[in-house]
Amino acid sequence: MTPTLQLQAFEWRNEYETGLPEIDRQHRQMVRLINELNAAMQLGKGRDVLGSILDRLAAYTVTHFQTEEGLMTAANWTGFVDHQRKHRKLVSEVSNLQSSFKLGRVSITIETMDFLKRWLHTHILEEDMTFTKSLTSPK
Protein backbone atom coordinates (compact mmCIF):
# COMPACT_ATOMS: atom_id res chain seq x y z
CA MET A 1 0.00 0.00 0.00
CA THR A 2 1.32 3.46 -0.94
CA PRO A 3 1.49 5.95 1.93
CA THR A 4 -0.94 8.87 1.74
CA LEU A 5 0.69 12.21 1.05
CA GLN A 6 0.02 14.95 3.58
CA LEU A 7 0.37 18.00 1.31
CA GLN A 8 -0.98 20.50 3.84
CA ALA A 9 1.33 20.60 6.83
CA PHE A 10 -0.27 23.46 8.70
CA GLU A 11 -3.98 24.18 8.96
CA TRP A 12 -5.10 27.71 9.83
CA ARG A 13 -7.44 27.80 12.82
CA ASN A 14 -9.52 30.62 14.29
CA GLU A 15 -7.41 30.54 17.45
CA TYR A 16 -4.54 32.00 15.40
CA GLU A 17 -6.45 35.26 14.83
CA THR A 18 -4.66 38.06 16.69
CA GLY A 19 -7.13 40.87 16.03
CA LEU A 20 -4.55 42.80 13.99
CA PRO A 21 -5.49 42.36 10.30
CA GLU A 22 -1.99 42.94 8.90
CA ILE A 23 -0.39 40.48 11.31
CA ASP A 24 -3.10 37.88 10.60
CA ARG A 25 -2.64 38.34 6.84
CA GLN A 26 1.11 37.84 7.20
CA HIS A 27 0.68 34.79 9.42
CA ARG A 28 -1.65 33.27 6.81
CA GLN A 29 0.97 33.91 4.12
CA MET A 30 3.58 32.15 6.25
CA VAL A 31 1.20 29.18 6.60
CA ARG A 32 0.76 29.12 2.80
CA LEU A 33 4.53 29.12 2.29
CA ILE A 34 5.07 26.32 4.83
CA ASN A 35 2.33 24.31 3.11
CA GLU A 36 3.86 25.00 -0.30
CA LEU A 37 7.26 23.81 0.95
CA ASN A 38 5.69 20.71 2.48
CA ALA A 39 3.78 19.86 -0.72
CA ALA A 40 6.93 20.26 -2.83
CA MET A 41 8.84 18.01 -0.42
CA GLN A 42 6.08 15.37 -0.37
CA LEU A 43 5.82 15.40 -4.17
CA GLY A 44 9.57 14.96 -4.57
CA LYS A 45 10.20 18.29 -6.28
CA GLY A 46 13.80 19.15 -7.06
CA ARG A 47 16.24 21.05 -4.89
CA ASP A 48 15.80 24.18 -7.00
CA VAL A 49 12.05 24.28 -6.29
CA LEU A 50 12.52 23.55 -2.59
CA GLY A 51 15.31 26.10 -2.34
CA SER A 52 13.19 28.79 -4.00
CA ILE A 53 10.29 28.20 -1.60
CA LEU A 54 12.64 28.14 1.39
CA ASP A 55 14.18 31.43 0.23
CA ARG A 56 10.74 33.04 -0.07
CA LEU A 57 9.75 31.78 3.39
CA ALA A 58 12.96 33.12 4.94
CA ALA A 59 12.58 36.52 3.28
CA TYR A 60 8.91 36.77 4.23
CA THR A 61 9.70 35.88 7.83
CA VAL A 62 12.12 38.82 8.02
CA THR A 63 9.45 41.13 6.53
CA HIS A 64 6.90 39.84 9.03
CA PHE A 65 9.23 40.38 11.97
CA GLN A 66 9.92 43.93 10.81
CA THR A 67 6.17 44.61 10.74
CA GLU A 68 5.73 43.20 14.24
CA GLU A 69 8.69 45.10 15.63
CA GLY A 70 7.38 48.33 14.08
CA LEU A 71 4.05 47.84 15.86
CA MET A 72 5.79 47.02 19.13
CA THR A 73 8.01 50.09 18.89
CA ALA A 74 5.09 52.36 18.02
CA ALA A 75 3.16 51.04 21.03
CA ASN A 76 6.25 51.26 23.27
CA TRP A 77 5.58 47.63 24.25
CA THR A 78 7.56 46.55 27.31
CA GLY A 79 8.31 43.06 25.99
CA PHE A 80 9.97 44.33 22.81
CA VAL A 81 13.60 43.42 23.61
CA ASP A 82 12.78 39.81 24.54
CA HIS A 83 10.50 39.35 21.53
CA GLN A 84 13.11 40.86 19.22
CA ARG A 85 15.70 38.43 20.62
CA LYS A 86 13.39 35.51 19.73
CA HIS A 87 12.99 36.94 16.23
CA ARG A 88 16.76 37.17 15.77
CA LYS A 89 17.21 33.59 16.97
CA LEU A 90 14.70 32.24 14.48
CA VAL A 91 16.12 34.30 11.60
CA SER A 92 19.52 32.81 12.43
CA GLU A 93 18.11 29.26 12.54
CA VAL A 94 16.33 29.68 9.19
CA SER A 95 19.43 31.28 7.67
CA ASN A 96 21.51 28.31 8.83
CA LEU A 97 18.93 25.93 7.35
CA GLN A 98 19.05 27.83 4.05
CA SER A 99 22.85 27.77 3.94
CA SER A 100 23.04 24.09 4.82
CA PHE A 101 20.40 23.27 2.22
CA LYS A 102 22.21 25.24 -0.50
CA LEU A 103 25.47 23.48 0.37
CA GLY A 104 23.76 20.08 0.18
CA ARG A 105 24.33 19.31 3.87
CA VAL A 106 20.63 18.98 4.70
CA SER A 107 17.42 18.15 2.88
CA ILE A 108 13.89 19.33 3.48
CA THR A 109 12.47 16.47 5.52
CA ILE A 110 9.46 15.74 7.67
CA GLU A 111 11.60 16.77 10.66
CA THR A 112 12.31 20.13 8.99
CA MET A 113 8.61 20.61 8.37
CA ASP A 114 7.82 19.68 11.98
CA PHE A 115 10.30 22.32 13.17
CA LEU A 116 8.67 25.00 10.98
CA LYS A 117 5.14 24.03 12.06
CA ARG A 118 6.05 23.97 15.75
CA TRP A 119 7.83 27.28 15.45
CA LEU A 120 4.93 29.07 13.71
CA HIS A 121 2.37 27.58 16.08
CA THR A 122 4.39 28.72 19.12
CA HIS A 123 5.19 32.08 17.53
CA ILE A 124 1.52 32.89 16.99
CA LEU A 125 -0.15 31.37 20.06
CA GLU A 126 2.44 32.09 22.72
CA GLU A 127 4.60 34.97 21.60
CA ASP A 128 2.45 37.09 19.31
CA MET A 129 -0.75 36.75 21.31
CA THR A 130 1.03 38.34 24.25
CA PHE A 131 1.86 41.53 22.43
CA THR A 132 -1.20 41.70 20.15
CA LYS A 133 -3.54 41.43 23.14
CA SER A 134 -1.78 44.38 24.72
CA LEU A 135 -2.27 46.37 21.51
CA THR A 136 -5.92 45.43 20.95
CA SER A 137 -7.22 45.50 24.53
CA PRO A 138 -9.00 48.66 25.72
CA LYS A 139 -6.80 50.99 27.72
mmCIF file of all heavy atoms in Angstrom, residues 25-71:
data_model
loop_
_atom_site.group_PDB
_atom_site.id
_atom_site.type_symbol
_atom_site.label_atom_id
_atom_site.label_comp_id
_atom_site.label_asym_id
_atom_site.label_seq_id
_atom_site.Cartn_x
_atom_site.Cartn_y
_atom_site.Cartn_z
ATOM 1 N N ARG A 25 -2.877 38.560 8.268
ATOM 2 C CA ARG A 25 -2.637 38.336 6.839
ATOM 3 C C ARG A 25 -1.232 37.765 6.636
ATOM 4 O O ARG A 25 -1.033 36.817 5.879
ATOM 5 C CB ARG A 25 -2.800 39.648 6.060
ATOM 6 C CG ARG A 25 -2.658 39.478 4.542
ATOM 7 C CD ARG A 25 -2.627 40.797 3.812
ATOM 8 N NE ARG A 25 -1.459 41.598 4.120
ATOM 9 C CZ ARG A 25 -0.202 41.323 3.709
ATOM 10 N NH1 ARG A 25 0.035 40.262 2.983
ATOM 11 N NH2 ARG A 25 0.796 42.121 4.028
ATOM 12 N N GLN A 26 -0.264 38.328 7.337
ATOM 13 C CA GLN A 26 1.108 37.841 7.205
ATOM 14 C C GLN A 26 1.273 36.429 7.766
ATOM 15 O O GLN A 26 1.971 35.599 7.178
ATOM 16 C CB GLN A 26 2.081 38.813 7.875
ATOM 17 C CG GLN A 26 2.217 40.109 7.114
ATOM 18 C CD GLN A 26 3.220 41.058 7.743
ATOM 19 O OE1 GLN A 26 3.860 40.753 8.754
ATOM 20 N NE2 GLN A 26 3.368 42.222 7.143
ATOM 21 N N HIS A 27 0.626 36.150 8.876
ATOM 22 C CA HIS A 27 0.681 34.786 9.421
ATOM 23 C C HIS A 27 0.078 33.797 8.426
ATOM 24 O O HIS A 27 0.624 32.705 8.228
ATOM 25 C CB HIS A 27 -0.071 34.698 10.755
ATOM 26 C CG HIS A 27 0.671 35.295 11.901
ATOM 27 N ND1 HIS A 27 0.024 35.667 13.061
ATOM 28 C CD2 HIS A 27 1.984 35.587 12.097
ATOM 29 C CE1 HIS A 27 0.924 36.158 13.916
ATOM 30 N NE2 HIS A 27 2.118 36.123 13.349
ATOM 31 N N ARG A 28 -1.038 34.157 7.804
ATOM 32 C CA ARG A 28 -1.650 33.265 6.807
ATOM 33 C C ARG A 28 -0.704 33.025 5.632
ATOM 34 O O ARG A 28 -0.639 31.913 5.098
ATOM 35 C CB ARG A 28 -2.972 33.842 6.310
ATOM 36 C CG ARG A 28 -4.116 33.621 7.253
ATOM 37 C CD ARG A 28 -5.444 33.979 6.575
ATOM 38 N NE ARG A 28 -6.493 34.056 7.554
ATOM 39 C CZ ARG A 28 -6.866 35.174 8.171
ATOM 40 N NH1 ARG A 28 -6.313 36.324 7.875
ATOM 41 N NH2 ARG A 28 -7.829 35.149 9.065
ATOM 42 N N GLN A 29 0.014 34.066 5.217
ATOM 43 C CA GLN A 29 0.972 33.907 4.120
ATOM 44 C C GLN A 29 2.097 32.968 4.536
ATOM 45 O O GLN A 29 2.548 32.141 3.740
ATOM 46 C CB GLN A 29 1.536 35.258 3.675
ATOM 47 C CG GLN A 29 2.567 35.169 2.567
ATOM 48 C CD GLN A 29 2.051 34.553 1.284
ATOM 49 O OE1 GLN A 29 0.856 34.471 1.024
ATOM 50 N NE2 GLN A 29 2.963 34.088 0.449
ATOM 51 N N MET A 30 2.533 33.056 5.773
ATOM 52 C CA MET A 30 3.580 32.147 6.253
ATOM 53 C C MET A 30 3.067 30.704 6.265
ATOM 54 O O MET A 30 3.802 29.777 5.903
ATOM 55 C CB MET A 30 4.071 32.589 7.631
ATOM 56 C CG MET A 30 4.811 33.923 7.563
ATOM 57 S SD MET A 30 5.171 34.608 9.181
ATOM 58 C CE MET A 30 6.581 33.612 9.623
ATOM 59 N N VAL A 31 1.805 30.516 6.641
ATOM 60 C CA VAL A 31 1.200 29.185 6.604
ATOM 61 C C VAL A 31 1.184 28.671 5.157
ATOM 62 O O VAL A 31 1.535 27.513 4.895
ATOM 63 C CB VAL A 31 -0.230 29.212 7.200
ATOM 64 C CG1 VAL A 31 -0.993 27.939 6.869
ATOM 65 C CG2 VAL A 31 -0.168 29.431 8.714
ATOM 66 N N ARG A 32 0.786 29.531 4.216
ATOM 67 C CA ARG A 32 0.760 29.121 2.805
ATOM 68 C C ARG A 32 2.157 28.698 2.325
ATOM 69 O O ARG A 32 2.306 27.694 1.626
ATOM 70 C CB ARG A 32 0.230 30.243 1.916
ATOM 71 C CG ARG A 32 -1.283 30.376 1.937
ATOM 72 C CD ARG A 32 -1.808 31.327 0.873
ATOM 73 N NE ARG A 32 -1.540 32.722 1.151
ATOM 74 C CZ ARG A 32 -2.274 33.509 1.937
ATOM 75 N NH1 ARG A 32 -3.348 33.021 2.535
ATOM 76 N NH2 ARG A 32 -1.962 34.766 2.118
ATOM 77 N N LEU A 33 3.173 29.454 2.709
ATOM 78 C CA LEU A 33 4.533 29.117 2.287
ATOM 79 C C LEU A 33 5.013 27.809 2.911
ATOM 80 O O LEU A 33 5.655 26.992 2.242
ATOM 81 C CB LEU A 33 5.490 30.263 2.614
ATOM 82 C CG LEU A 33 5.338 31.494 1.715
ATOM 83 C CD1 LEU A 33 6.069 32.695 2.315
ATOM 84 C CD2 LEU A 33 5.823 31.204 0.303
ATOM 85 N N ILE A 34 4.708 27.588 4.185
ATOM 86 C CA ILE A 34 5.070 26.320 4.833
ATOM 87 C C ILE A 34 4.351 25.170 4.131
ATOM 88 O O ILE A 34 4.954 24.128 3.851
ATOM 89 C CB ILE A 34 4.761 26.358 6.344
ATOM 90 C CG1 ILE A 34 5.787 27.251 7.057
ATOM 91 C CG2 ILE A 34 4.752 24.950 6.948
ATOM 92 C CD1 ILE A 34 5.483 27.508 8.525
ATOM 93 N N ASN A 35 3.074 25.356 3.810
ATOM 94 C CA ASN A 35 2.330 24.306 3.112
ATOM 95 C C ASN A 35 2.867 24.076 1.704
ATOM 96 O O ASN A 35 2.920 22.933 1.229
ATOM 97 C CB ASN A 35 0.844 24.630 3.085
ATOM 98 C CG ASN A 35 0.185 24.394 4.426
ATOM 99 O OD1 ASN A 35 0.660 23.592 5.228
ATOM 100 N ND2 ASN A 35 -0.885 25.105 4.699
ATOM 101 N N GLU A 36 3.281 25.148 1.029
ATOM 102 C CA GLU A 36 3.863 25.003 -0.304
ATOM 103 C C GLU A 36 5.181 24.220 -0.235
ATOM 104 O O GLU A 36 5.433 23.333 -1.057
ATOM 105 C CB GLU A 36 4.097 26.389 -0.912
ATOM 106 C CG GLU A 36 4.595 26.358 -2.332
ATOM 107 C CD GLU A 36 4.816 27.739 -2.921
ATOM 108 O OE1 GLU A 36 4.391 28.757 -2.339
ATOM 109 O OE2 GLU A 36 5.440 27.799 -4.003
ATOM 110 N N LEU A 37 5.993 24.533 0.761
ATOM 111 C CA LEU A 37 7.256 23.809 0.945
ATOM 112 C C LEU A 37 6.990 22.335 1.256
ATOM 113 O O LEU A 37 7.625 21.441 0.693
ATOM 114 C CB LEU A 37 8.076 24.458 2.062
ATOM 115 C CG LEU A 37 9.451 23.865 2.332
ATOM 116 C CD1 LEU A 37 10.362 24.004 1.109
ATOM 117 C CD2 LEU A 37 10.091 24.539 3.549
ATOM 118 N N ASN A 38 6.030 22.084 2.124
ATOM 119 C CA ASN A 38 5.691 20.710 2.480
ATOM 120 C C ASN A 38 5.189 19.935 1.258
ATOM 121 O O ASN A 38 5.603 18.801 1.029
ATOM 122 C CB ASN A 38 4.629 20.690 3.583
ATOM 123 C CG ASN A 38 4.313 19.288 4.030
ATOM 124 O OD1 ASN A 38 5.131 18.642 4.669
ATOM 125 N ND2 ASN A 38 3.135 18.805 3.684
ATOM 126 N N ALA A 39 4.317 20.540 0.467
ATOM 127 C CA ALA A 39 3.785 19.863 -0.717
ATOM 128 C C ALA A 39 4.912 19.545 -1.698
ATOM 129 O O ALA A 39 4.974 18.429 -2.247
ATOM 130 C CB ALA A 39 2.712 20.719 -1.387
ATOM 131 N N ALA A 40 5.815 20.496 -1.911
ATOM 132 C CA ALA A 40 6.934 20.264 -2.825
ATOM 133 C C ALA A 40 7.817 19.121 -2.326
ATOM 134 O O ALA A 40 8.258 18.275 -3.107
ATOM 135 C CB ALA A 40 7.745 21.550 -2.991
ATOM 136 N N MET A 41 8.042 19.076 -1.009
ATOM 137 C CA MET A 41 8.841 18.006 -0.418
ATOM 138 C C MET A 41 8.135 16.659 -0.602
ATOM 139 O O MET A 41 8.726 15.697 -1.062
ATOM 140 C CB MET A 41 9.094 18.294 1.071
ATOM 141 C CG MET A 41 10.010 17.311 1.772
ATOM 142 S SD MET A 41 9.271 16.148 2.957
ATOM 143 C CE MET A 41 7.970 16.976 3.760
ATOM 144 N N GLN A 42 6.848 16.617 -0.277
ATOM 145 C CA GLN A 42 6.079 15.369 -0.366
ATOM 146 C C GLN A 42 5.992 14.851 -1.807
ATOM 147 O O GLN A 42 5.967 13.644 -2.024
ATOM 148 C CB GLN A 42 4.656 15.586 0.180
ATOM 149 C CG GLN A 42 4.579 15.833 1.662
ATOM 150 C CD GLN A 42 4.669 14.579 2.485
ATOM 151 O OE1 GLN A 42 4.391 13.479 2.024
ATOM 152 N NE2 GLN A 42 5.064 14.723 3.732
ATOM 153 N N LEU A 43 5.936 15.776 -2.765
ATOM 154 C CA LEU A 43 5.817 15.399 -4.168
ATOM 155 C C LEU A 43 7.168 15.138 -4.831
ATOM 156 O O LEU A 43 7.232 14.844 -6.023
ATOM 157 C CB LEU A 43 5.052 16.478 -4.941
ATOM 158 C CG LEU A 43 3.583 16.645 -4.531
ATOM 159 C CD1 LEU A 43 2.974 17.881 -5.177
ATOM 160 C CD2 LEU A 43 2.782 15.387 -4.884
ATOM 161 N N GLY A 44 8.246 15.263 -4.052
ATOM 162 C CA GLY A 44 9.572 14.963 -4.566
ATOM 163 C C GLY A 44 10.097 15.988 -5.560
ATOM 164 O O GLY A 44 10.871 15.640 -6.453
ATOM 165 N N LYS A 45 9.708 17.225 -5.389
ATOM 166 C CA LYS A 45 10.202 18.288 -6.276
ATOM 167 C C LYS A 45 11.706 18.435 -6.096
ATOM 168 O O LYS A 45 12.264 18.091 -5.059
ATOM 169 C CB LYS A 45 9.506 19.619 -5.987
ATOM 170 C CG LYS A 45 8.011 19.592 -6.201
ATOM 171 C CD LYS A 45 7.680 19.428 -7.659
ATOM 172 C CE LYS A 45 6.171 19.436 -7.870
ATOM 173 N NZ LYS A 45 5.790 19.337 -9.247
ATOM 174 N N GLY A 46 12.347 19.013 -7.069
ATOM 175 C CA GLY A 46 13.799 19.150 -7.062
ATOM 176 C C GLY A 46 14.294 20.180 -6.060
ATOM 177 O O GLY A 46 13.535 21.002 -5.540
ATOM 178 N N ARG A 47 15.591 20.143 -5.832
ATOM 179 C CA ARG A 47 16.240 21.050 -4.887
ATOM 180 C C ARG A 47 16.039 22.505 -5.280
ATOM 181 O O ARG A 47 15.935 23.364 -4.413
ATOM 182 C CB ARG A 47 17.729 20.734 -4.777
ATOM 183 C CG ARG A 47 18.008 19.410 -4.079
ATOM 184 C CD ARG A 47 19.491 19.191 -3.865
ATOM 185 N NE ARG A 47 20.080 20.172 -2.980
ATOM 186 C CZ ARG A 47 19.972 20.179 -1.643
ATOM 187 N NH1 ARG A 47 19.263 19.250 -1.040
ATOM 188 N NH2 ARG A 47 20.566 21.107 -0.925
ATOM 189 N N ASP A 48 15.981 22.795 -6.587
ATOM 190 C CA ASP A 48 15.801 24.185 -7.003
ATOM 191 C C ASP A 48 14.431 24.708 -6.592
ATOM 192 O O ASP A 48 14.305 25.840 -6.137
ATOM 193 C CB ASP A 48 16.032 24.350 -8.514
ATOM 194 C CG ASP A 48 15.141 23.468 -9.364
ATOM 195 O OD1 ASP A 48 14.731 22.379 -8.897
ATOM 196 O OD2 ASP A 48 14.859 23.853 -10.525
ATOM 197 N N VAL A 49 13.400 23.886 -6.705
ATOM 198 C CA VAL A 49 12.051 24.282 -6.292
ATOM 199 C C VAL A 49 11.996 24.452 -4.778
ATOM 200 O O VAL A 49 11.510 25.465 -4.269
ATOM 201 C CB VAL A 49 10.994 23.246 -6.761
ATOM 202 C CG1 VAL A 49 9.621 23.553 -6.184
ATOM 203 C CG2 VAL A 49 10.937 23.199 -8.292
ATOM 204 N N LEU A 50 12.515 23.474 -4.050
ATOM 205 C CA LEU A 50 12.519 23.547 -2.588
ATOM 206 C C LEU A 50 13.323 24.750 -2.109
ATOM 207 O O LEU A 50 12.899 25.472 -1.203
ATOM 208 C CB LEU A 50 13.089 22.262 -1.992
ATOM 209 C CG LEU A 50 12.241 21.005 -2.186
ATOM 210 C CD1 LEU A 50 13.046 19.759 -1.848
ATOM 211 C CD2 LEU A 50 10.977 21.064 -1.365
ATOM 212 N N GLY A 51 14.473 24.972 -2.720
ATOM 213 C CA GLY A 51 15.308 26.104 -2.341
ATOM 214 C C GLY A 51 14.625 27.433 -2.583
ATOM 215 O O GLY A 51 14.723 28.350 -1.755
ATOM 216 N N SER A 52 13.906 27.549 -3.682
ATOM 217 C CA SER A 52 13.194 28.785 -3.996
ATOM 218 C C SER A 52 12.097 29.068 -2.963
ATOM 219 O O SER A 52 11.939 30.199 -2.494
ATOM 220 C CB SER A 52 12.584 28.686 -5.399
ATOM 221 O OG SER A 52 11.770 29.791 -5.671
ATOM 222 N N ILE A 53 11.354 28.034 -2.593
ATOM 223 C CA ILE A 53 10.291 28.205 -1.597
ATOM 224 C C ILE A 53 10.905 28.549 -0.238
ATOM 225 O O ILE A 53 10.424 29.446 0.462
ATOM 226 C CB ILE A 53 9.409 26.939 -1.497
ATOM 227 C CG1 ILE A 53 8.725 26.660 -2.835
ATOM 228 C CG2 ILE A 53 8.364 27.105 -0.380
ATOM 229 C CD1 ILE A 53 8.109 25.272 -2.928
ATOM 230 N N LEU A 54 11.968 27.865 0.128
ATOM 231 C CA LEU A 54 12.644 28.138 1.394
ATOM 232 C C LEU A 54 13.158 29.574 1.425
ATOM 233 O O LEU A 54 13.028 30.267 2.436
ATOM 234 C CB LEU A 54 13.786 27.143 1.613
ATOM 235 C CG LEU A 54 14.535 27.230 2.931
ATOM 236 C CD1 LEU A 54 13.598 27.033 4.122
ATOM 237 C CD2 LEU A 54 15.654 26.194 2.956
ATOM 238 N N ASP A 55 13.707 30.047 0.312
ATOM 239 C CA ASP A 55 14.182 31.432 0.230
ATOM 240 C C ASP A 55 13.033 32.419 0.422
ATOM 241 O O ASP A 55 13.172 33.419 1.137
ATOM 242 C CB ASP A 55 14.865 31.695 -1.117
ATOM 243 C CG ASP A 55 16.208 31.004 -1.250
ATOM 244 O OD1 ASP A 55 16.756 30.531 -0.230
ATOM 245 O OD2 ASP A 55 16.721 30.936 -2.396
ATOM 246 N N ARG A 56 11.900 32.146 -0.213
ATOM 247 C CA ARG A 56 10.741 33.040 -0.065
ATOM 248 C C ARG A 56 10.225 33.042 1.363
ATOM 249 O O ARG A 56 9.870 34.089 1.905
ATOM 250 C CB ARG A 56 9.619 32.652 -1.032
ATOM 251 C CG ARG A 56 9.939 33.028 -2.478
ATOM 252 C CD ARG A 56 8.774 32.811 -3.415
ATOM 253 N NE ARG A 56 8.518 31.385 -3.539
ATOM 254 C CZ ARG A 56 7.296 30.832 -3.540
ATOM 255 N NH1 ARG A 56 6.222 31.576 -3.447
ATOM 256 N NH2 ARG A 56 7.149 29.538 -3.657
ATOM 257 N N LEU A 57 10.197 31.867 2.007
ATOM 258 C CA LEU A 57 9.751 31.782 3.394
ATOM 259 C C LEU A 57 10.692 32.559 4.309
ATOM 260 O O LEU A 57 10.243 33.312 5.171
ATOM 261 C CB LEU A 57 9.664 30.318 3.842
ATOM 262 C CG LEU A 57 9.281 30.080 5.305
ATOM 263 C CD1 LEU A 57 7.910 30.659 5.632
ATOM 264 C CD2 LEU A 57 9.323 28.582 5.625
ATOM 265 N N ALA A 58 11.984 32.410 4.110
ATOM 266 C CA ALA A 58 12.961 33.117 4.943
ATOM 267 C C ALA A 58 12.819 34.630 4.769
ATOM 268 O O ALA A 58 12.811 35.372 5.755
ATOM 269 C CB ALA A 58 14.368 32.661 4.587
ATOM 270 N N ALA A 59 12.706 35.082 3.545
ATOM 271 C CA ALA A 59 12.580 36.523 3.281
ATOM 272 C C ALA A 59 11.278 37.067 3.857
ATOM 273 O O ALA A 59 11.251 38.150 4.456
ATOM 274 C CB ALA A 59 12.655 36.794 1.780
ATOM 275 N N TYR A 60 10.199 36.306 3.722
ATOM 276 C CA TYR A 60 8.913 36.767 4.228
ATOM 277 C C TYR A 60 8.913 36.810 5.753
ATOM 278 O O TYR A 60 8.305 37.701 6.351
ATOM 279 C CB TYR A 60 7.771 35.890 3.713
ATOM 280 C CG TYR A 60 6.442 36.576 3.862
ATOM 281 C CD1 TYR A 60 6.029 37.528 2.932
ATOM 282 C CD2 TYR A 60 5.619 36.323 4.948
ATOM 283 C CE1 TYR A 60 4.826 38.197 3.072
ATOM 284 C CE2 TYR A 60 4.414 36.982 5.096
ATOM 285 C CZ TYR A 60 4.024 37.916 4.159
ATOM 286 O OH TYR A 60 2.829 38.587 4.304
ATOM 287 N N THR A 61 9.599 35.887 6.372
ATOM 288 C CA THR A 61 9.700 35.882 7.827
ATOM 289 C C THR A 61 10.378 37.158 8.318
ATOM 290 O O THR A 61 9.920 37.776 9.286
ATOM 291 C CB THR A 61 10.457 34.628 8.310
ATOM 292 O OG1 THR A 61 9.739 33.464 7.888
ATOM 293 C CG2 THR A 61 10.603 34.608 9.814
ATOM 294 N N VAL A 62 11.442 37.578 7.648
ATOM 295 C CA VAL A 62 12.123 38.819 8.015
ATOM 296 C C VAL A 62 11.170 40.004 7.865
ATOM 297 O O VAL A 62 11.077 40.858 8.755
ATOM 298 C CB VAL A 62 13.409 39.018 7.173
ATOM 299 C CG1 VAL A 62 13.981 40.416 7.362
ATOM 300 C CG2 VAL A 62 14.442 37.958 7.536
ATOM 301 N N THR A 63 10.433 40.050 6.756
ATOM 302 C CA THR A 63 9.453 41.126 6.534
ATOM 303 C C THR A 63 8.408 41.134 7.636
ATOM 304 O O THR A 63 8.060 42.187 8.182
ATOM 305 C CB THR A 63 8.768 40.944 5.162
ATOM 306 O OG1 THR A 63 9.767 41.028 4.141
ATOM 307 C CG2 THR A 63 7.686 41.973 4.926
ATOM 308 N N HIS A 64 7.911 39.958 7.984
ATOM 309 C CA HIS A 64 6.895 39.840 9.028
ATOM 310 C C HIS A 64 7.435 40.343 10.369
ATOM 311 O O HIS A 64 6.765 41.100 11.071
ATOM 312 C CB HIS A 64 6.430 38.388 9.145
ATOM 313 C CG HIS A 64 5.559 38.134 10.322
ATOM 314 N ND1 HIS A 64 4.314 38.703 10.473
ATOM 315 C CD2 HIS A 64 5.767 37.384 11.437
ATOM 316 C CE1 HIS A 64 3.788 38.310 11.623
ATOM 317 N NE2 HIS A 64 4.640 37.512 12.223
ATOM 318 N N PHE A 65 8.640 39.941 10.711
ATOM 319 C CA PHE A 65 9.226 40.380 11.970
ATOM 320 C C PHE A 65 9.413 41.892 11.995
ATOM 321 O O PHE A 65 9.226 42.535 13.022
ATOM 322 C CB PHE A 65 10.555 39.672 12.226
ATOM 323 C CG PHE A 65 10.411 38.207 12.598
ATOM 324 C CD1 PHE A 65 11.526 37.389 12.598
ATOM 325 C CD2 PHE A 65 9.192 37.652 12.953
ATOM 326 C CE1 PHE A 65 11.422 36.054 12.947
ATOM 327 C CE2 PHE A 65 9.070 36.323 13.296
ATOM 328 C CZ PHE A 65 10.197 35.518 13.291
ATOM 329 N N GLN A 66 9.781 42.477 10.881
ATOM 330 C CA GLN A 66 9.921 43.935 10.808
ATOM 331 C C GLN A 66 8.579 44.617 11.065
ATOM 332 O O GLN A 66 8.515 45.627 11.780
ATOM 333 C CB GLN A 66 10.486 44.354 9.447
ATOM 334 C CG GLN A 66 11.935 44.000 9.276
ATOM 335 C CD GLN A 66 12.429 44.207 7.850
ATOM 336 O OE1 GLN A 66 11.661 44.320 6.902
ATOM 337 N NE2 GLN A 66 13.751 44.233 7.698
ATOM 338 N N THR A 67 7.509 44.065 10.509
ATOM 339 C CA THR A 67 6.171 44.614 10.742
ATOM 340 C C THR A 67 5.831 44.542 12.222
ATOM 341 O O THR A 67 5.385 45.530 12.819
ATOM 342 C CB THR A 67 5.110 43.859 9.921
ATOM 343 O OG1 THR A 67 5.421 43.983 8.534
ATOM 344 C CG2 THR A 67 3.708 44.389 10.190
ATOM 345 N N GLU A 68 6.033 43.372 12.817
ATOM 346 C CA GLU A 68 5.730 43.198 14.242
ATOM 347 C C GLU A 68 6.545 44.166 15.095
ATOM 348 O O GLU A 68 6.008 44.808 15.998
ATOM 349 C CB GLU A 68 6.036 41.768 14.689
ATOM 350 C CG GLU A 68 5.029 40.752 14.251
ATOM 351 C CD GLU A 68 5.297 39.390 14.861
ATOM 352 O OE1 GLU A 68 6.319 39.200 15.564
ATOM 353 O OE2 GLU A 68 4.465 38.498 14.643
ATOM 354 N N GLU A 69 7.823 44.250 14.824
ATOM 355 C CA GLU A 69 8.691 45.100 15.631
ATOM 356 C C GLU A 69 8.327 46.577 15.469
ATOM 357 O O GLU A 69 8.428 47.342 16.420
ATOM 358 C CB GLU A 69 10.155 44.829 15.290
ATOM 359 C CG GLU A 69 10.588 43.455 15.792
ATOM 360 C CD GLU A 69 11.979 43.039 15.353
ATOM 361 O OE1 GLU A 69 12.730 43.887 14.813
ATOM 362 O OE2 GLU A 69 12.329 41.856 15.547
ATOM 363 N N GLY A 70 7.861 46.960 14.284
ATOM 364 C CA GLY A 70 7.382 48.325 14.083
ATOM 365 C C GLY A 70 6.163 48.619 14.948
ATOM 366 O O GLY A 70 6.064 49.689 15.564
ATOM 367 N N LEU A 71 5.244 47.673 15.018
ATOM 368 C CA LEU A 71 4.054 47.838 15.863
ATOM 369 C C LEU A 71 4.437 47.896 17.340
ATOM 370 O O LEU A 71 3.900 48.704 18.097
ATOM 371 C CB LEU A 71 3.066 46.697 15.630
ATOM 372 C CG LEU A 71 2.346 46.682 14.289
ATOM 373 C CD1 LEU A 71 1.583 45.370 14.098
ATOM 374 C CD2 LEU A 71 1.402 47.875 14.185
#
